[in-house]
Amino acid sequence: MKKLYRSLSLSLAMMLMLASVALAQERVVTGTITDESGTGMPGVNVLVKGSSLGTATDVDGKFRIAVPNDGAILVVTFVGYSTSEVAVGAKSVVDVQLEPDVTTFQEIVVTGYTTENRREVTGAVSTIRPAELVAVPSGNVEQQLQGRVPGVTVITNGQPGTTSVVRIRGFGAFGGNDPLIIIDGLPVGASDFLSPDDIESTTVLKDAASASIYGARAANGVIVYTTKRGKKSDGKLKINYDGVLGVTVPGKVDNILNPQETADWTWQAIRNTATQLGQTPEFKSDQYGNGTTPVLPDYLKVGDASGVTGTLDLAAERVKYNTDPSKGPVYLVIPSNKAGTNWWDEITRPARLHRHNLSFSGGGDRSAFYVSLGIYDQDGILTHQNFKRYTFRINSEHNVLKNLRIGQNVQFTYLSRKGIIGGSGGRGAANEESDVLSAFRMPSIIPVYDAFGGYAGTIAKGFNNPRNPVAARDRASDNGSYSILGFGNIYMELDLLKHLTWRTSFGGGFSNNYFNSYNPPSYENSENNSSFTYSEGAGSFATWTFTNTAQYKNKFGAHSIDALVGVEALNTGTGRSVNGSGLNPFLFDINYISVTNTQPGGRVTGSTYSKGVNFYSTFGQLKYNYNEKYMLTGVIRRDGASRFASRNRFGVFPAVSAAWRVSEEEFLKGVNFISDLKIRGGWGQMGNSNNVDPNNQYSLWNASLGLAAYDITGSNSGVQPGLYRSRIGNPNAKWETSTTTNIGFDASLLDGKVDIAFDVWRKNTRDLLYGSETAALVGPLATDPSINIAKMRNAGVDIEITTRGDVGSSGVNYEVKATGSFLKNEIVSLVPGVEYFDGGNTRNGNVIRNQVGQAISSYFGYKVVGLYQSDADVAASPTQEGAAPGRFKYADINGRDAEGNLTGQGDGKINADDRTYLGDPVPDFSGGINIKLKYHNFELETFLGLFLGFENYNFSKWFTDFYPSFTGAAIGTNVKDSWTFERGGNTVPIFENVSNFSTNTQSNSYYIEKGNYARLTNLQLAYNLPSDMLSRYGVTRARIYLQATNLFTISNYSGLDPGVGGQADTTLGLDFGNPPVTRGFNIGVNLGL
Amino acid sequence: MKLKYSNKKTAILVLMAAIVLGPIACKESFLEVPVTGELQ
């Protein structure tokens, strides 16, 4: 076909050239037509609009044409590319870069083990273009899926290189819901090592029809990445450089009272407390005096004295100054900062970012290669935070024989993380001891440093126990984790017969990681570390995957068959780790410290050994289509895993799907606005076993001196470690199974100007593994077994609409892509007799309840209907412990009958029965809109993410809005709106020194806030340098751009970031002041040679 | 020794058979991974 087009274009060119001879006396214009990569395109038609004048480009893409006048417009056309019209004007050289005319439904998509034309896909599959993944610099490519792929939920935070909670089509289980990530055919645990610049294709397999080829690991969806490779037809070396320099700014946060306001509201709390009790207020403070008006001290601490007013002989004080507890009592001189310390400003900074990627690719008749070097270096907005990734990738493929190809994909990576907070790669930053929350617990009157350069802090009396977060971050500045990874595969493809290809691939990865952590003693806080703790550790792990497939692909007239069978064996990771910690090294110089140099008595060592999980799988897929009109696909995979005992080791996961291209039917032929319409439907099953320990099948024993000690020798003179039961096994445990149904359509309308993909889906998960509770007498120290008992349901709608075209004859070209997904999650059943289990432990107890009939990780507590306005209001309301004017008034929604059963009706008493569901953290709707405008050499691109229908549990309010939570600690600006005896109020409760059921000890809806937000994630203005100018220097492509990321967020949420969440599926949405995603400004360049 | 084409073909088929059938033959023991760190 390509040859036909080529010869047609050449013939046309010859005819047009003959015609042009007659007009040789007209003005001559020359130029070059290039493709999207900047390579000259031969045989491209160049016509003068409205005339018969025309020519075609030569082998280098160059053309020469006579035009009648300056008003001439050149029309450039080539099969597979968008037509381009260029006004000649006074120019004598006109260069044009053509854009591929690929509509969404004509692309080639990489699915499980194969590639296929989008037209023939029968399952629910979404793709993301490589440009979208690099549009916004990020340390972990998974963050770029947020809002861009319908059906994918990403909950992340603002730390560089952080891992996110990524969920495809909801939450199938109570844990282990991470999707399977496949890179170049190999399963991996994380994608943080991958350079986004190296990615060629990204496909998200969402339903069983597309994903169950991955069987037992597909229930959470599959993300398939392939990396770039050279093209054998390229002929010449291509060099590309992509670079970004930028800065991320922390933004202004000012939600803590200044020193004078803090003192005034402290006095207000004392006044309110006394008024509630009918007493005279007794004003008293370690810092603000004891008069009826608070007085800000000049010094918060001078030696043992607190709240000192007046001047000091600093020279004399300096003699007594001591910050080293080992040299005697600590003696600090802490002046008050009457202007106020903004602790958020103190722990944050504008953070620099730079990313570079240099790649070389090319190929000849028999070989092709792609080599890239990548650097990603980003500071976090929190001080001392940095993420670095250095990558080296080499992919190549060689035709060894006519029917035999071998190739390899290999990447070596160095990762460095410093100062990242939270476990699980930063995902666990939702923590009330985090440095971020500390910044909102520290009173503003405390300065960062004392009078002589040491740290200041709550060692000054009257401020309770928050820690100086600047000091904490400074002391942790040398803590980090570092990894060296290798990852890749070698493969061989053999065309056994004309239509039969056998492929074998062996690959895997190794990782060597190391971490160290310095925890020096502190002196400036009310509660200090007295010891210096040092810990370090290292580990080494390896994984492997061995895949063999045979694929038969043939066409018999109108019938096409694509059959695949395969065998796969893999190990998820075998390795060892060692770690050690020690106390009080002789010197505190970090260059001196090792575990060996710590005190002999305090050293603790440990090690682990893991053999991972082995999988052995056989699978097959059969695709049939009749004339691309009727398509049928069947998939089956049988998986065996060492995670389960032999009786339930194997699981079989089938799927069937079909598609009907309605637009090919006669009855739709006359409907001109429909270019293509395909209706799809599928059913299938997928498995999940991530949420179960491989040892779950065994009853195990362990030795411990502390847990099971006895004198085994009977000497009665000492103890020996004894054995205790450490795990109760369940050999009957088996796969969690998700059954999905999916119905959808792909439509291309108005000659490809509008593409629509629409899916309605449901996913029922049964045999959910749930940690049962066994009677204590069975083994009080033993881990309870996971049993297959619970059920979960997810349902939703995914929509993707793309429209493209020109804005009249203005020369503006546009593409708008909108995605949206609706999600509903529901727990269907737990263990018989168990209706719920709780999570989300806070100082108010568990605030999350996972209950049958509710969404996972739902918030649970009392619903606040208002505040008590008066004693009369209290008397007229249902009985509530601690009720008083200005305090929370809870809804009376439940009671019990004579038999003790819940009635669902209020009973005049507020008690635990009145707790209810207050919201959940999973957005009902996630979506985004990507707009690209192109005008001549300029491009403008934006991406706006939209997330609706979810709530956050803003627990940081517990610390800042209630006086007794931490008496003397920072007070939030919310209290300015609090209820007072003078003016009343109905939102923020009275600020008083009382802690009870009606104030701050219960989970209630005061902490719940709508999280709805829209965020302009990307705004980018780019300029492509004219190719006639570049060609003089041998440059094929040069593009520079300015970018703003996360320029604004529209939300009513009062916390730092409405989009941040917790670590685990059952504790999502808990906000303790998690690291926010903030604004950034970048400048970038793309160069091609 | 220079392999003849038919020998190459045979070698490839034997290699294929070994690669595909090998894991099948040892799959039972392959799926028995010993417990680490605790006593069974």
Side-chain angles (χ1 to χ4, degrees):
Chain A
M1 186 60 91
K2 198 172 177 182
K3 275 185 179 171
L4 178 65
Y5 284 124
R6 181 71 56 87
S7 56
L8 278 174
S9 355
L10 284 172
S11 312
L12 184 63
M14 286 184 71
M15 284 190 291
L16 294 171
M17 275 191 287
L18 285 172
S20 68
V21 172
L23 296 162
Q25 70 272 27
E26 306 293 341
R27 192 160 74 79
V28 172
V29 173
T30 59
T32 309
I33 310 297
T34 52
D35 64 11
E36 70 279 14
S37 65
T39 306
M41 298 173 67
V44 178
N45 298 317
V46 183
L47 297 159
V48 177
K49 193 172 184 177
S51 77
S52 58
L53 304 174
T55 185
T57 54
D58 65 13
V59 289
D60 295 322
K62 295 187 184 306
F63 70 93
R64 179 183 171 85
I65 191 169
V67 297
N69 51 49
D70 288 355
I73 294 172
L74 296 183
V75 181
V76 185
T77 57
F78 193 71
V79 173
Y81 285 79
S82 301
T83 299
S84 180
E85 294 191 8
V86 189
V88 173
K91 287 179 281 189
S92 59
V93 177
V94 176
D95 292 332
V96 180
Q97 187 171 36
L98 292 183
E99 296 287 335
D101 183 18
V102 179
T103 65
T104 310
F105 304 126
Q106 288 174 341
E107 64 190 337
I108 299 295
V109 294
V110 180
T111 53
Y113 300 98
T114 57
T115 58
E116 54 191 307
N117 191 307
R118 185 65 183 247
R119 285 170 63 83
E120 297 169 11
V121 171
T122 54
V125 167
S126 288
T127 55
I128 308 165
R129 277 177 290 199
E132 293 181 60
L133 292 179
V134 296
V136 176
S138 67
N140 197 334
V141 69
E142 68 193 12
Q143 286 175 302
Q144 298 311 310
L145 304 180
Q146 190 176 34
R148 293 182 186 271
V149 187
V152 177
T153 306
V154 180
I155 297 173
T156 188
N157 66 53
Q159 300 191 87
T162 192
T163 52
S164 310
V165 176
V166 179
R167 297 291 173 259
I168 297 175
R169 288 193 164 177
F171 299 73
F174 299 116
N177 283 318
D178 297 307
L180 175 66
I181 302 171
I182 304 284
I183 299 175
D184 289 329
L186 302 173
V188 296
S191 58
D192 57 351
F193 70 93
L194 197 58
S195 168
D197 287 298
D198 285 341
I199 296 173
E200 183 164 77
S201 75
T202 307
T203 311
V204 181
L205 312 178
K206 297 189 285 192
D207 69 340
S210 58
S212 67
I213 189 79
Y214 288 104
R217 293 164 299 148
N220 305 321
V222 185
I223 303 173
V224 183
Y225 296 105
T226 61
T227 57
K228 288 179 180 168
R229 52 198 61 237
K231 291 189 182 114
K232 286 181 186 141
S233 57
D234 275 355
K236 66 169 194 173
L237 176 68
K238 283 184 184 170
I239 303 173
N240 280 297
Y241 168 77
D242 301 289
V244 183
L245 285 173
V247 63
T248 312
V249 295
K252 282 282 163 203
V253 182
D254 194 12
N255 59 359
I256 296 298
L257 296 182
N258 69 35
Q260 188 60 54
E261 291 169 333
T262 305
D264 291 343
W265 277 95
T266 301
W267 254 230
Q268 181 68 28
I270 294 169
R271 200 176 292 120
N272 285 341
T273 309
T275 309
Q276 288 277 34
L277 298 170
Q279 298 171 348
T280 306
E282 189 182 341
F283 298 107
K284 195 174 160 189
S285 160
D286 289 316
Q287 296 292 346
Y288 308 126
N290 52 14
T292 52
T293 306
V295 177
L296 295 186
D298 294 311
Y299 289 88
L300 307 178
K301 184 172 178 66
V302 179
D304 290 332
S306 296
V308 178
T309 305
T311 54
L312 279 185
D313 178 356
L314 285 177
E317 294 299 328
R318 183 185 285 275
V319 174
K320 294 180 264 182
Y321 184 65
N322 177 34
T323 60
D324 184 351
S326 67
K327 293 178 182 166
V330 169
Y331 193 99
L332 299 184
V333 178
I334 305 177
S336 67
N337 182 1
K338 293 179 184 175
T341 303
N342 184 319
W343 286 94
W344 172 252
D345 287 350
E346 297 297 335
I347 63 162
T348 57
R349 58 180 176 172
R352 76 192 166 84
L353 146 78
H354 62 108
R355 183 181 81 185
H356 311 276
N357 188 271
L358 180 64
S359 68
F360 306 85
S361 65
D365 293 338
R366 297 169 69 100
S367 297
F369 70 92
Y370 171 84
V371 176
S372 82
L373 292 160
I375 294 175
Y376 186 88
D377 188 341
Q378 184 180 8
D379 286 338
I381 56 168
L382 295 180
T383 52
H384 308 298
Q385 216 172 35
N386 177 266
F387 173 76
K388 281 188 183 69
R389 179 182 57 222
Y390 302 144
T391 57
F392 171 65
R393 170 168 284 278
I394 176 162
N395 294 353
S396 72
E397 186 173 277
H398 313 274
N399 290 10
V400 179
L401 298 170
K402 194 179 167 190
N403 62 343
L404 179 66
R405 297 169 295 281
I406 62 167
Q408 108 292 331
N409 307 292
V410 177
Q411 180 177 322
F412 296 99
T413 312
Y414 170 75
L415 290 176
S416 156
R417 287 187 171 86
K418 293 189 84 172
I420 306 295
I421 61 173
S424 305
R427 201 160 84 172
N431 182 328
E432 72 171 42
E433 293 303 322
S434 80
D435 294 332
V436 177
L437 186 58
S438 291
F440 298 100
R441 294 174 60 188
M442 282 292 280
S444 55
I445 197 169
I446 301 177
V448 178
Y449 302 103
D450 71 4
F452 304 119
Y455 293 114
T458 51
I459 192 171
K461 285 183 183 168
F463 298 118
N464 220 297
N465 67 352
R467 294 171 301 133
N468 181 333
V470 176
R473 295 212 58 76
D474 287 350
R475 292 192 179 108
S477 62
D478 292 300
N479 297 354
S481 64
Y482 316 89
S483 308
I484 293 175
L485 306 102
F487 173 79
N489 68 329
I490 51 171
Y491 63 90
M492 178 166 69
E493 287 175 353
L494 176 67
D495 300 325
L496 287 166
L497 300 169
K498 193 177 175 188
H499 301 287
L500 179 63
T501 302
W502 174 60
R503 180 185 160 98
T504 182
S505 160
F506 184 82
F510 70 85
S511 69
N512 287 295
N513 56 72
Y514 171 79
F515 74 89
N516 63 358
S517 172
Y518 301 87
N519 192 5
S522 59
Y523 56 84
E524 73 281 359
N525 304 315
S526 59
E527 296 167 5
N528 288 306
N529 276 341
S530 56
S531 301
F532 192 122
T533 311
Y534 175 70
S535 56
E536 63 184 328
S540 178
F541 287 86
T543 65
W544 59 264
T545 302
F546 185 27
T547 310
N548 288 277
T549 56
Q551 186 176 19
Y552 178 79
K553 212 170 178 178
N554 203 355
K555 197 166 182 180
F556 308 92
H559 307 273
S560 296
I561 283 181
D562 185 350
L564 177 91
V565 291
V567 182
E568 188 168 75
L570 64 92
N571 174 264
T572 59
T574 302
R576 288 184 178 275
S577 72
V578 291
N579 60 77
S581 66
L583 296 172
N584 302 324
F586 179 68
L587 292 175
F588 284 4
D589 181 343
I590 61 158
N591 295 317
Y592 170 81
I593 298 170
S594 66
V595 172
T596 307
N597 289 341
T598 57
Q599 287 176 347
R603 288 180 207 148
V604 179
T605 57
S607 70
T608 65
Y609 178 33
S610 166
K611 283 177 167 287
V613 177
N614 285 353
F615 279 82
Y616 176 78
S617 317
T618 46
F619 53 90
Q621 177 176 272
L622 179 64
K623 292 181 176 186
Y624 164 80
N625 90 58
Y626 176 77
N627 224 5
E628 289 195 345
K629 195 195 282 187
Y630 307 110
M631 286 152 268
L632 193 62
T633 304
V635 179
I636 192 160
R637 179 159 178 142
R638 181 173 184 264
D639 269 332
S642 61
R643 209 182 274 269
F644 299 111
S646 56
R647 70 184 74 164
N648 284 320
R649 185 158 284 161
F650 288 90
V652 177
F653 305 96
V656 290
S657 56
W660 174 28
R661 174 156 287 102
V662 191
S663 53
E664 293 294 307
E665 299 291 348
E666 285 302 318
F667 59 84
L668 270 184
K669 289 279 186 196
V671 184
N672 291 330
F673 73 94
I674 299 177
S675 315
D676 194 291
L677 176 62
K678 183 177 70 177
I679 297 172
R680 298 178 275 105
W683 171 94
Q685 293 186 321
M686 305 180 284
N688 183 29
S689 61
N690 292 341
N691 200 26
V692 61
D693 191 295
N695 286 344
N696 184 59
Q697 57 191 299
Y698 305 116
S699 283
L700 300 175
W701 301 81
N702 215 339
S704 169
L705 190 62
L707 299 175
Y710 53 87
D711 185 358
I712 200 166
T713 61
S715 67
N716 209 22
S717 61
V719 291
Q720 299 289 329
L723 288 172
Y724 71 98
R725 193 174 192 180
S726 56
R727 176 179 286 277
I728 299 165
N730 175 20
N732 294 320
K734 59 182 182 181
W735 310 94
E736 297 175 337
T737 302
S738 290
T739 302
T740 74
T741 47
N742 189 99
I743 297 172
F745 68 83
D746 298 330
S748 189
L749 311 174
L750 306 171
D751 287 330
K753 282 195 169 60
V754 179
D755 292 333
I756 303 171
F758 179 86
D759 287 283
V760 183
W761 58 272
R762 172 173 282 215
K763 181 161 81 174
N764 291 325
T765 310
R766 62 178 161 80
D767 298 330
L768 274 183
L769 286 156
Y770 173 80
S772 65
E773 290 179 22
T774 50
L777 58 89
V778 180
L781 300 173
T783 303
D784 292 322
S786 289
I787 56 174
N788 297 94
I789 197 88
K791 290 180 181 170
M792 188 102 78
R793 180 184 300 139
N794 290 275
V797 174
D798 298 346
I799 310 164
E800 184 174 321
I801 302 173
T802 308
T803 174
R804 53 181 79 80
D806 301 311
V807 183
S809 57
S810 61
V812 176
N813 177 272
Y814 69 89
E815 184 187 270
V816 179
K817 178 179 164 189
T819 60
S821 53
F822 299 87
L823 171 66
K824 183 167 169 34
N825 168 274
E826 184 186 338
I827 300 169
V828 177
S829 73
L830 294 170
V831 181
V834 175
E835 283 295 302
Y836 63 84
F837 68 95
D838 292 336
N841 191 25
T842 69
R843 288 173 190 264
N844 279 352
N846 288 321
V847 301
I848 284 171
R849 176 161 288 187
N850 297 280
Q851 176 155 4
V852 173
Q854 299 292 332
I856 192 171
S857 196
S858 292
Y859 309 125
F860 192 68
Y862 296 94
K863 187 176 179 187
V864 176
V865 292
L867 303 173
Y868 291 109
Q869 296 300 318
S870 62
D871 288 331
D873 189 7
V874 172
S877 302
T879 313
Q880 180 177 313
E881 183 192 329
R887 295 179 187 166
F888 293 126
K889 186 201 283 188
Y890 301 135
D892 181 19
I893 57 172
N894 222 332
R896 289 183 187 269
D897 59 20
E899 281 79 43
N901 298 315
L902 291 172
T903 61
Q905 301 289 324
D907 60 354
K909 287 181 292 189
I910 304 293
N911 56 25
D913 295 336
D914 293 304
R915 290 177 299 168
T916 186
Y917 290 89
L918 304 171
D920 72 80
V922 182
D924 295 333
F925 175 85
S926 325
I929 182 162
N930 197 74
I931 302 172
K932 278 203 281 193
L933 299 173
K934 195 170 177 185
Y935 179 71
H936 297 298
N937 289 349
F938 289 94
E939 292 169 5
L940 182 71
E941 182 169 359
T942 67
F943 179 75
L944 181 88
L946 183 64
F947 308 90
L948 302 172
F950 72 104
E951 287 79 27
N952 283 332
Y953 201 107
N954 188 358
F955 197 67
S956 54
K957 292 204 297 199
W958 184 85
F959 293 90
T960 57
D961 294 4
F962 299 91
Y963 185 74
S965 292
F966 279 100
T967 309
I971 300 170
T973 49
N974 279 345
V975 303
K976 290 180 179 178
D977 299 320
S978 65
W979 189 97
T980 63
F981 286 96
E982 296 77 26
R983 64 157 192 249
N986 210 27
T987 51
V988 184
I990 184 171
F991 197 62
E992 60 178 337
N993 190 15
V994 176
S995 192
N996 67 27
F997 183 86
S998 297
T999 62
N1000 70 337
T1001 66
Q1002 301 299 313
S1003 172
N1004 67 43
S1005 59
Y1006 178 70
Y1007 306 100
I1008 313 287
E1009 294 182 43
K1010 292 275 183 204
N1012 301 342
Y1013 73 99
R1015 174 174 289 158
L1016 192 74
T1017 305
N1018 182 26
L1019 176 64
Q1020 191 181 100
L1021 178 66
Y1023 178 70
N1024 290 291
L1025 273 67
S1027 51
D1028 56 340
M1029 188 180 96
L1030 298 175
S1031 57
R1032 275 181 254 155
Y1033 305 99
V1035 179
T1036 55
R1037 182 183 63 126
R1039 180 176 180 269
I1040 54 171
Y1041 62 89
L1042 296 170
Q1043 179 180 47
T1045 57
N1046 310 314
L1047 193 59
F1048 62 78
T1049 302
I1050 303 168
S1051 177
N1052 284 330
Y1053 183 62
S1054 71
L1056 286 176
D1057 187 339
V1060 301
Q1063 176 178 9
D1065 291 326
T1066 49
T1067 59
L1068 292 171
L1070 264 180
D1071 187 359
F1072 294 95
N1074 306 339
V1077 174
T1078 58
R1079 196 172 293 157
F1081 302 96
N1082 305 317
I1083 181 167
V1085 60
N1086 310 116
L1087 278 177
L1089 298 174
Chain B
M1 187 183 74
K2 192 176 178 183
L3 284 174
K4 287 182 182 171
Y5 178 69
S6 60
N7 287 345
K8 280 183 195 166
K9 204 168 162 184
T10 309
I12 287 169
L13 287 173
V14 169
L15 181 65
M16 275 176 62
I19 287 171
V20 176
L21 297 177
I24 296 174
C26 66
K27 70 179 181 189
E28 284 306 323
S29 59
F30 178 65
L31 293 177
E32 295 283 351
V33 174
V35 171
T36 54
E38 288 170 286
L39 293 172
Q40 191 180 337

